[in-house]
Amino acid sequence: MRRHVVLPLLLLCTASSAVIETIGTSIAVGMAAALTGFLASYQNIFYYFHECCRPEWINFNRTGLEEDLRNKLFGQHLASHIISKAVSGFMNNDNPKKPLVLSLHGWTGTGKNFASALIAENIYKEGMDSQFVHVFTAELHFPHVGQMDTYKTQLQQWIKGNVSSCAHSMFIFDEMDKMHPGLIDSIKPYLDYYEKIDGVSYRKAIFIFLSNAGGESIVETALDFWKAGKSREEIELKDLETPLALSVFNNKRSGLWHTSLIDKNLVDFFVPFLPLEYKHVLQCALAAMQAQGAKPDAGVADKVAQDMLYFPKAERVFSVKGCKTIESKWEYYT
């Protein structure tokens, strides 16, 4: 950003000295004031058109997040409530003691990536396209087990550099179940209760982990409630949080296997995403039509939802793939 400011400042100094030599101090002061005003206007224009780490571009919308989670994230009453409370509490705290760390778990297609996008869209004006939102995937960014030491160093440098530029940075780690277990421990100091590390404070950053690991324990709980004739809305965090944390901690494929992040209680919330039912898949189909500019058709949405795979096989209660393939399928039925 400074490279845009240096030139007007140099012009200011050059113009002032030249005027002093020719037409006197009073006019020079006037020129300096005029150029200073131009510089201020230039900066305001620059900030208006170019994303910066300023309130014009980073401004949390609590009401917007609550409405989006309620109206767009289908079948996830528990995840919606946890995310809303956690993000709102964190963003409204001017002096948090540590970064916000959320670990989102559940089977594919249940809304983990979508929920992350909703968080970003209600914090950053540019949403997921913001230069302050950083997404890492295991297979793309950390594909080779033999290069873990290099990856650890690069990841530390990347996080430090971006938080140094903007304290309100967000880091999303997708495919945590495919992540090498030792990799995430390398950023443990940045997630801890330190005021500063090497002069940099990480307390206003947000870290989100997305994983399929722990999905089995979530599904098991959901099935138990269904078999007992209970509504899924009766499932509470206490029913899932402890078994979920234990499942992730002891799962060698979780990316958080025996990690100090769990051992030291640095993950603020383990957020469970429940398996979706037919009615939720139906909602996804209707939303997909609307998102692509088509008129929502309940008949088409029903065909899409009916043709999805469900389990248990006889009762067809929960969707195997959630809503993952809905967007690519609904046009087939029109």
Side-chain angles (χ1 to χ4, degrees), residues 119-171:
I119 295 172
E121 288 170 6
N122 285 284
I123 294 178
Y124 306 92
K125 186 177 180 179
E126 296 294 295
M128 289 295 292
D129 293 327
S130 171
Q131 62 178 312
F132 308 120
V133 177
H134 314 281
V135 180
F136 301 93
T137 59
E139 294 183 336
L140 178 63
H141 296 99
F142 317 109
H144 306 296
V145 175
Q147 297 183 25
M148 278 303 119
D149 288 340
T150 300
Y151 293 151
K152 289 178 183 179
T153 301
Q154 291 175 341
L155 183 58
Q156 290 172 342
Q157 292 174 344
W158 180 260
I159 291 176
K160 180 179 180 180
N162 282 286
V163 175
S164 297
S165 299
C166 184
H168 286 291
S169 293
M170 178 184 292
F171 302 92

Side-chain angles (χ1 to χ4, degrees), residues 88-283:
S88 296
F90 179 78
M91 292 301 298
N92 290 325
N93 185 352
D94 293 331
N95 186 30
K97 300 302 180 185
K98 65 179 289 296
L100 177 62
V101 183
L102 301 176
S103 193
L104 279 50
H105 298 268
W107 277 12
T108 184
T110 53
K112 300 184 296 297
N113 282 283
F114 186 60
S116 301
L118 293 181
I119 295 172
E121 288 170 6
N122 285 284
I123 294 178
Y124 306 92
K125 186 177 180 179
E126 296 294 295
M128 289 295 292
D129 293 327
S130 171
Q131 62 178 312
F132 308 120
V133 177
H134 314 281
V135 180
F136 301 93
T137 59
E139 294 183 336
L140 178 63
H141 296 99
F142 317 109
H144 306 296
V145 175
Q147 297 183 25
M148 278 303 119
D149 288 340
T150 300
Y151 293 151
K152 289 178 183 179
T153 301
Q154 291 175 341
L155 183 58
Q156 290 172 342
Q157 292 174 344
W158 180 260
I159 291 176
K160 180 179 180 180
N162 282 286
V163 175
S164 297
S165 299
C166 184
H168 286 291
S169 293
M170 178 184 292
F171 302 92
I172 301 172
F173 292 83
D174 199 3
E175 302 178 340
M176 280 295 296
D177 46 301
K178 300 176 183 177
M179 200 83 70
H180 189 277
L183 180 62
I184 291 300
D185 265 348
S186 67
I187 65 171
K188 181 259 180 187
Y190 305 149
L191 277 58
D192 214 327
Y193 290 83
Y194 296 115
E195 184 173 351
K196 289 184 178 181
I197 300 176
D198 295 332
V200 179
S201 174
Y202 297 86
R203 292 182 168 187
K204 293 184 178 181
I206 296 177
F207 293 82
I208 303 178
F209 304 128
L210 312 180
S211 178
N212 292 344
E216 292 80 3
S217 64
I218 297 172
V219 169
E220 184 178 345
T221 299
L223 276 171
D224 288 342
F225 270 70
W226 173 75
K227 290 176 182 177
K230 297 180 180 179
S231 167
R232 66 190 285 122
E233 282 72 24
E234 295 182 61
I235 300 175
E236 299 179 11
L237 180 59
K238 65 181 181 181
D239 298 313
L240 286 167
E241 189 171 38
T242 299
L244 179 57
L246 289 174
S247 174
V248 172
F249 185 76
N250 293 314
N251 186 340
K252 290 185 177 181
R253 296 180 59 189
S254 75
L256 293 171
W257 177 64
H258 285 193
T259 177
S260 60
L261 272 63
I262 297 178
D263 194 36
K264 300 297 182 182
N265 297 311
L266 297 181
V267 177
D268 296 296
F269 289 98
F270 290 92
V271 185
F273 281 69
L274 302 172
L276 299 182
E277 300 175 11
Y278 162 81
K279 61 183 178 182
H280 307 125
V281 178
L282 185 67
Q283 290 177 299

Side-chain angles (χ1 to χ4, degrees), residues 253-326:
R253 296 180 59 189
S254 75
L256 293 171
W257 177 64
H258 285 193
T259 177
S260 60
L261 272 63
I262 297 178
D263 194 36
K264 300 297 182 182
N265 297 311
L266 297 181
V267 177
D268 296 296
F269 289 98
F270 290 92
V271 185
F273 281 69
L274 302 172
L276 299 182
E277 300 175 11
Y278 162 81
K279 61 183 178 182
H280 307 125
V281 178
L282 185 67
Q283 290 177 299
C284 288
L286 291 170
M289 295 178 198
Q290 188 170 14
Q292 294 183 31
K295 183 179 179 180
D297 187 320
V300 172
D302 178 69
K303 292 179 182 178
V304 175
Q306 289 289 353
D307 282 357
M308 298 291 285
L309 295 176
Y310 294 85
F311 69 96
K313 190 173 182 179
E315 294 84 356
R316 289 172 51 89
V317 181
F318 299 120
S319 172
V320 173
K321 295 183 180 180
C323 288
K324 193 170 184 64
T325 60
I326 292 297

